[in-house]
Amino acid sequence: MSGPLTEPMYYVLLALAHPAHGYALMQQIRQLSRERVQIGPGTLYGLLSRMQDDGWIVLEDSDGRRKTYALTELGRQVLLAEYERLRLLLRDGAFLTTEEETG
Amino acid sequence: MKYTWRPTPERWAVAEAQEYYAAMARRGWMLDKRGVRWDRYRRTGPQQLQFWLEFTPRPVLLDEPDDLPAEKQQLYEDSGWQLAARRDEVYVFAAPLQAQVPQPYDAGDPQQDAMIARLQRYYRRDFVIMLLSVLLIGGLTALVCTRPLADLLTGFWMLLFCGLSFLRAVWESSYALGAITRLRRRLQSGQMPRARRRLGYRAVRRGLSALSAVCLAAELVLALAMWRGTAPLPAQSDGAYVMASQALNLPRVPVEEASLQLRSGRVNQVQRAPLFPFGTGYAVCELVDPQTEIYVWQDVYDLRSPWLARQMARSMREHGIFAAADQYVSVQIDGLDAAWYVPGGMEYVALAGGRAVYGTVTGADQSGEVPLRLLEATGARWSGR
């Protein structure tokens, strides 16, 4: 893992907490992000290919033109590391909202 | 079903093509087939659509299919993008404009690797085209500079047409190199392709196309006129007619008028054949003297270029019917490039301006008396074999 994940990468790994195929992932990401993040098919295909090459995800099932992917142990570690990084970022910046609330 | 055809946008004009297809859909014409030069559109009624050009990844192996991965195509279709047309490495997807259809790529991520790889290939191709066109223009310029201007005057329009066509190729390919470089940089920095109007580029291209079309039309009109015999022809040496008229006291008959003489029965046969784009060929067979049955047969090649005419004359000298004869006599006659005599007939080559004439004179008198009499009347100088 060379650096922080991009937003689409993070959401793809997050959505793959449960194995899913491409289009299901797109819907899952929209749901998870409350319609805020919408990944296009071109971007998603590129991400899935790259993540598979890096060993973060693995092909679990292939139903014709639809392929189902699942997280690998490495992928899970990458996701957890990113989650931890984001959590620390939030913690460090939490005083901004508490200052606003106390006035 | 009604169809219409429009020129295919340049391969590197990705965003422009997307906008153009959308504009056509708004006007009621849906892209039906993407061609090499022309795209076919089907009449569907006005539609609000958006288009996206997806490029297939470059095959690594020679026998690898140049198709979009099936999974990727399925993703597009599941997302609401339907395949409208495909040509080689380009897939054109369409989706309703107002619907909640995700854009294929997210801005900010340099992920369009396939398109970038294809653009690199286009760049190499256009570079080679530009190089070849420049070389051809250089060759044409050298031709104009090294030959006397008079040699090329008659082929002027064809030459100009070729020059303008190559110039257009240089303009298109050099512009493409710049456009591809800009687009690649844009994609690599994570930005989406942006449509530009390119008014200057299109104006120059149209101008060059129009000029070359005018030149080609002028060339065709001139060729047609020469084929029909209405255009003025260069001066010529009608050696056979000169000889015949001197020897037999007959009026000299120019080749241009040979077809008119056909009606009077003096000319037995006249054939014309266009030698596009080099000029016109005539074959004239005339019975000069019915009593002695002297026939004059002439192949006239009006090549509209003295240089080409000289090449033709040289070829005729080398491959004439007497060239292989055991015994013939070379003779020198004013107005003829070369002449040979054998008992029973003679052969000659005349060259003037852009015209090469190959002719034979044959007589029924097997002793050769008639051709000899013709030769003596012209004051021919004998030089032996």
Side-chain angles (χ1 to χ4, degrees):
Chain A
M1 181 57 209
S2 58
L5 300 181
T6 62
E7 193 175 69
M9 289 166 88
Y10 176 74
Y11 273 102
V12 169
L13 290 178
L14 203 59
L16 276 174
H18 303 290
H21 61 74
Y23 184 59
L25 278 176
M26 289 167 74
Q27 289 177 314
Q28 181 76 2
I29 289 168
R30 280 178 65 176
Q31 219 174 353
L32 278 170
S33 67
R34 296 174 179 81
E35 303 285 327
R36 191 179 61 82
V37 178
Q38 198 173 19
I39 297 183
T43 299
L44 180 63
Y45 181 81
L47 285 177
L48 290 173
S49 302
R50 215 166 298 169
M51 286 176 174
Q52 205 178 356
D53 291 344
D54 291 345
W56 296 359
I57 62 173
V58 68
L59 185 67
E60 196 180 78
D61 189 24
S62 182
D63 173 24
R65 302 205 303 178
R66 289 196 180 91
K67 292 177 180 174
T68 303
Y69 296 93
L71 268 186
T72 61
E73 188 50 42
L74 176 63
R76 190 171 295 279
Q77 284 173 18
V78 169
L79 177 62
L80 286 173
E82 181 66 11
Y83 175 75
E84 186 60 22
R85 190 183 71 84
L86 292 173
R87 200 179 63 78
L88 291 174
L89 289 179
L90 277 176
R91 188 198 65 187
D92 294 348
F95 71 90
L96 291 171
T97 50
T98 50
E99 274 180 4
E100 274 178 16
E101 282 169 11
T102 54
Chain B
M1 196 163 286
K2 283 181 76 174
Y3 293 102
T4 187
W5 283 262
R6 293 284 186 279
T8 305
E10 290 87 351
R11 291 199 291 181
W12 44 265
V14 176
E16 288 84 350
Q18 288 164 187
E19 282 202 354
Y20 183 71
Y21 294 149
M24 286 295 285
R26 282 196 296 277
R27 294 212 296 266
W29 293 100
M30 177 67 184
L31 178 69
D32 182 61
K33 196 173 182 181
R34 190 174 151 100
V36 178
R37 289 273 172 195
W38 296 88
D39 289 343
R40 192 175 76 181
Y41 296 83
R42 192 177 69 251
R43 185 80 181 156
T44 55
Q47 296 181 86
Q48 296 291 326
L49 295 174
Q50 52 184 329
F51 286 81
W52 182 262
L53 267 63
E54 182 63 62
F55 289 71
T56 63
R58 281 185 64 185
V60 180
L61 303 170
L62 282 175
D63 57 347
E64 202 174 328
D66 194 6
D67 296 333
L68 198 66
E71 185 191 9
K72 194 172 190 178
Q73 193 172 337
Q74 183 67 48
L75 269 175
Y76 268 91
E77 288 168 4
D78 287 342
S79 312
W81 290 92
Q82 296 305 315
L83 184 65
R86 186 227 165 150
R87 179 88 204 181
D88 301 330
E89 70 272 18
V90 180
Y91 281 62
V92 184
F93 289 97
L97 192 61
Q98 304 299 337
Q100 290 291 319
V101 177
Q103 288 304 299
Y105 287 87
D106 303 326
D109 282 329
Q111 294 163 350
Q112 300 185 57
D113 299 337
M115 196 195 290
I116 292 170
R118 291 294 182 177
L119 288 172
Q120 282 170 343
R121 199 173 177 188
Y122 294 167
Y123 187 93
R124 282 197 288 272
R125 172 184 159 272
D126 281 307
F127 184 77
V128 170
I129 290 176
M130 190 183 72
L131 207 64
L132 287 176
S133 303
V134 167
L135 285 174
L136 287 167
I137 287 180
L140 278 176
T141 310
L143 189 71
V144 172
C145 293
T146 52
R147 304 298 317 168
L149 189 60
D151 278 20
L152 295 161
L153 275 177
T154 48
F156 175 75
W157 293 111
M158 178 53 72
L159 199 70
L160 204 57
F161 166 72
C162 294
L164 285 169
S165 301
F166 292 136
L167 200 60
R168 187 188 132 150
V170 170
W171 172 248
E172 284 179 341
S173 49
S174 58
Y175 188 90
L177 294 182
I180 289 169
T181 306
R182 283 192 296 273
L183 181 56
R184 264 169 55 193
R185 280 191 193 142
R186 201 173 168 80
L187 292 171
Q188 281 165 344
S189 66
Q191 298 176 71
M192 291 289 113
R194 190 182 62 183
R196 297 173 64 182
R197 298 189 73 185
R198 306 182 198 278
L199 292 176
Y201 163 71
R202 298 198 192 289
V204 172
R205 200 182 63 163
R206 278 184 195 147
L208 288 171
S209 300
L211 282 175
S212 58
V214 167
C215 292
L216 185 63
E219 180 67 28
L220 288 172
V221 167
L222 197 60
L224 186 67
M226 295 192 77
W227 182 70
R228 294 171 69 181
T230 53
L233 298 170
Q236 59 166 319
S237 298
D238 297 327
Y241 290 110
V242 172
M243 286 187 297
S245 60
Q246 284 180 348
L248 302 171
N249 202 22
L250 292 170
R252 183 171 178 272
V253 183
V255 176
E256 290 93 329
E257 295 172 17
S259 59
L260 296 174
Q261 300 287 343
L262 189 64
R263 294 178 193 158
S264 66
R266 285 193 49 207
V267 176
N268 297 65
Q269 194 179 355
V270 175
Q271 293 173 340
R272 291 170 194 267
L275 304 170
F276 183 82
F278 305 109
T280 313
Y282 305 84
V284 183
C285 178
E286 186 178 0
L287 177 62
V288 176
D289 185 0
Q291 287 183 339
T292 51
E293 292 193 14
I294 296 176
Y295 280 94
V296 174
W297 176 271
Q298 285 198 124
D299 290 331
V300 182
Y301 297 94
D302 191 349
L303 297 167
R304 304 167 55 201
S305 161
W307 180 76
L308 279 177
R310 277 198 291 276
Q311 302 305 314
M312 177 65 91
R314 194 173 65 183
S315 170
M316 289 188 296
R317 273 202 304 274
E318 289 170 1
H319 303 290
I321 55 172
F322 293 169
D326 290 337
Q327 251 190 342
Y328 65 83
V329 179
S330 288
V331 287
Q332 289 181 332
I333 304 171
D334 291 339
L336 292 180
D337 185 49
W340 304 269
Y341 164 79
V342 291
M346 67 168 296
E347 176 181 65
Y348 63 90
V349 172
L351 186 64
R355 169 171 285 177
V357 180
Y358 168 79
T360 55
V361 183
T362 54
D365 188 347
Q366 293 301 313
S367 68
E369 189 183 335
V370 172
L372 264 179
R373 193 153 58 88
L374 280 170
L375 279 176
E376 284 162 3
T378 60
R381 294 182 292 281
W382 303 73
S383 57
R385 174 152 192 193

